[in-house]
């Protein structure tokens, strides 16, 4: 099964181009891409279709 485009390097670059902070981490058999979203109530990390694991 392939990972979602929302957990890919091109998506991370797109989000950075929008001025968002992107967090990427990986280890043996897992990875995630999270985007910091800001709202009037505060910030949160959004991990669309992630994390992924084998």
């Amino acid at each position: 099964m392939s990972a979602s485009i929302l957990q890919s390097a091109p998506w991370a670059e797109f989000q950075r181009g929008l001025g968002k902070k992107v967090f990427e981490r990986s280890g043996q058999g897992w990875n995630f891409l999270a985007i910091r979203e800001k709202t009037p109530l505060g910030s949160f990390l959004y991990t669309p279709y992630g994390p992924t694991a084998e």
Side-chain angles (χ1 to χ4, degrees):
M1 178 180 217
S2 63
S4 168
I5 186 72
L6 300 178
Q7 287 292 307
S8 69
W11 184 251
E13 289 304 313
F14 176 73
Q15 292 297 315
R16 287 185 185 105
L18 295 175
K20 296 185 179 183
K21 177 79 174 171
V22 176
F23 300 87
E24 297 177 89
R25 300 290 185 273
S26 63
Q28 187 173 356
W30 64 272
N31 69 327
F32 78 85
L33 183 150
I35 302 149
R36 184 176 66 188
E37 297 287 349
K38 294 182 182 181
T39 72
L41 298 176
S43 296
F44 64 93
L45 290 178
Y46 175 53
T47 57
Y49 294 95
T52 59
E54 292 179 9

